[in-house]
Amino acid sequence: LRHMLGGLGRKGIGNERQSDHDVLHVPDDSIAPMTKYHEQKVFLQLNPNQYIPHTLHCLEVYPQIILVLISEPQSSNLAGVICQTLTNLRQTITTKNNAVTGRSMFDILDDSMKRIVDGAKSEAKALNSESLKKSVVKVFSTWGRLRDAHFLKYLEKNLTEQLDITRVVNQAEYLIESLISLYDELYFSPKVLDYDKQTVVSRLLKLSSKLSRDYGEYLSMKATINLPFPGFGSNFPGMVHFAFVDRSFDELTSPSLVDELSSSSYLEERAKCSGEAPGVFLKRKVWDMVKRSQRYLTNGYTSQTWMDDDFLYTYCMWISMLNPNLGTFLRMA
């Protein structure tokens, strides 16, 4: 997101307001069985030009059992409009328009700016945020100055004086910066994050209580015993770990990574050399494999096998038909 927004303006969103994690201090009489809470801001990419903000809220219900809720802020619909507007503004600076496309682009931008200003005003009022109100005023005034600088004539290629063209380009860049600042205030300001957290944490605690009441015994056992895959290591000699991701149903099937269960003589030896516990060592290796496979996947490699100093890794994307027994590897040219 920083690369996308920063590439559109002269500066990107600062990350000084982001918090990778936080600790939730729950009163003693709370219904939550555990108090370990973490949150992480993420952005889901709808298309190459639109990123929608979400927050991952994670609460440890039992050791090794994490309850995760994904929340989307009420103002998330503005995120896509702002991202698309930033792209359109950049195109007006770098792309040659004719009279027809120029007028069309002006109407699109004018409509987008009205939606952004009206939506951000409503959000600022709901949050009672003075900084957000100032950002909205800045965007509104900057857009007004850009229009007054004969922006429509610029888009229609009716401006001939270089001074006038430079004035329009500068105002367009100021508007880009103002929109990025507004995006920052909408989705990164502490007031917004706290407002989002209050509602979700309340729901997390209720769900945690329900899980503890209805499934507590199962979850506590699940946290320490690998129920779905007993003895998979003996049935498949040499296999240390696996992960199966069903993208159709958004499901992950994988053994748990608990030290006692992941332990083997080879694993313990390699972990000892790195100064880590076997489970921690294996987790790091698994995530290194996932990150590497994703990099190759973006380049079109849907099946991969490689070996490092410790393990042999295999990754493949499997396309299944309606009949689960039928399937072929997806190979890309």
Side-chain angles (χ1 to χ4, degrees):
L1 178 70
R2 284 176 55 80
H3 173 73
M4 181 266 179
L5 294 180
L8 293 173
R10 291 190 289 185
K11 64 177 181 179
I13 286 181
N15 61 357
E16 68 274 3
R17 293 182 179 177
Q18 297 187 56
S19 175
D20 290 339
H21 65 275
D22 194 7
V23 177
L24 179 65
H25 299 287
V26 184
D28 294 337
D29 57 350
S30 171
I31 57 178
M34 298 291 290
T35 59
K36 292 184 179 179
Y37 168 84
H38 298 272
E39 67 175 22
Q40 175 67 53
K41 177 75 73 175
V42 297
F43 290 84
L44 303 184
Q45 185 176 4
L46 298 184
N47 60 50
N49 297 322
Q50 294 189 19
Y51 296 79
I52 306 301
H54 290 72
T55 304
L56 300 180
H57 303 266
C58 308
L59 180 67
E60 185 176 34
V61 183
Y62 290 95
Q64 305 293 332
I65 301 294
I66 309 298
L67 177 62
V68 179
L69 282 182
I70 303 177
S71 67
E72 180 179 354
Q74 294 181 353
S75 61
S76 62
N77 60 313
L78 287 178
V81 182
I82 294 175
C83 289
Q84 188 60 55
T85 302
L86 287 169
T87 301
N88 291 338
L89 282 170
R90 177 53 63 188
Q91 288 177 351
T92 64
I93 299 175
T94 59
T95 306
K96 293 183 178 180
N97 299 294
N98 55 43
V100 177
T101 59
R103 180 73 208 193
S104 176
M105 176 61 73
F106 180 86
D107 291 339
I108 291 173
L109 286 170
D110 190 46
D111 179 68
S112 297
M113 293 306 302
K114 288 178 181 177
R115 293 172 59 189
I116 291 170
V117 170
D118 291 343
K121 276 184 179 178
S122 300
E123 190 67 15
K125 184 177 180 180
L127 295 172
N128 192 24
S129 173
E130 291 298 325
S131 59
L132 183 54
K133 290 178 183 178
K134 291 179 181 178
S135 294
V136 176
V137 171
K138 182 179 179 182
V139 167
F140 180 76
S141 60
T142 306
W143 170 241
R145 287 195 297 271
L146 179 59
R147 291 177 51 138
D148 294 341
H150 305 294
F151 185 47
L152 178 57
K153 288 185 177 180
Y154 169 82
L155 294 176
E156 294 174 342
K157 297 302 177 184
N158 289 331
L159 281 184
T160 56
E161 295 293 334
Q162 185 60 43
L163 183 61
D164 294 334
I165 294 175
T166 302
R167 185 182 298 112
V168 170
V169 172
N170 288 339
Q171 287 298 329
E173 290 184 346
Y174 291 148
L175 181 57
I176 288 173
E177 292 184 4
S178 300
L179 285 171
I180 291 176
S181 297
L182 178 63
Y183 198 102
D184 189 2
E185 287 293 336
L186 279 170
Y187 305 115
F188 290 97
S189 66
K191 201 161 194 174
V192 172
L193 296 177
D194 291 341
Y195 180 80
D196 184 38
K197 183 192 297 184
Q198 290 172 7
T199 304
V200 178
V201 166
S202 175
R203 187 181 177 192
L204 262 178
L205 296 178
K206 292 178 181 178
L207 285 174
S208 176
S209 177
K210 180 176 175 59
L211 286 173
S212 178
R213 182 176 64 251
D214 298 341
Y215 306 101
E217 185 176 347
Y218 169 78
L219 290 175
S220 61
M221 185 182 299
K222 171 67 176 171
T224 56
I225 300 178
N226 198 10
L227 291 179
F229 311 104
F232 83 92
S234 59
N235 294 331
F236 301 93
M239 180 180 289
V240 177
H241 188 73
F242 73 88
F244 173 76
V245 180
D246 189 331
R247 298 190 177 190
S248 299
F249 297 97
D250 296 325
E251 294 179 352
L252 169 68
T253 303
S254 180
S256 59
L257 287 170
V258 183
D259 290 7
E260 307 91 88
L261 304 177
S262 307
S263 180
S264 68
S265 57
Y266 176 77
L267 183 59
E268 290 178 354
E269 179 183 349
R270 297 305 301 169
K272 186 177 181 180
C273 292
S274 65
E276 298 173 304
V280 174
F281 173 75
L282 185 55
K283 286 180 184 179
R284 178 170 60 81
K285 286 290 184 178
V286 168
W287 282 112
D288 287 346
M289 174 260 185
V290 170
K291 293 174 183 176
R292 177 169 179 168
S293 63
Q294 290 299 312
R295 287 199 301 270
Y296 277 93
L297 184 62
T298 58
N299 292 324
Y301 296 93
T302 56
S303 59
Q304 310 152 34
T305 300
W306 69 92
M307 188 171 186
D308 69 0
D309 295 335
D310 301 297
F311 300 113
L312 175 69
Y313 300 95
T314 300
Y315 173 93
C316 64
M317 180 181 288
W318 183 266
I319 306 299
S320 296
M321 310 302 177
L322 294 178
N323 186 339
N325 295 321
L326 298 177
T328 57
F329 285 111
L330 174 64
R331 298 191 180 277
M332 303 174 67

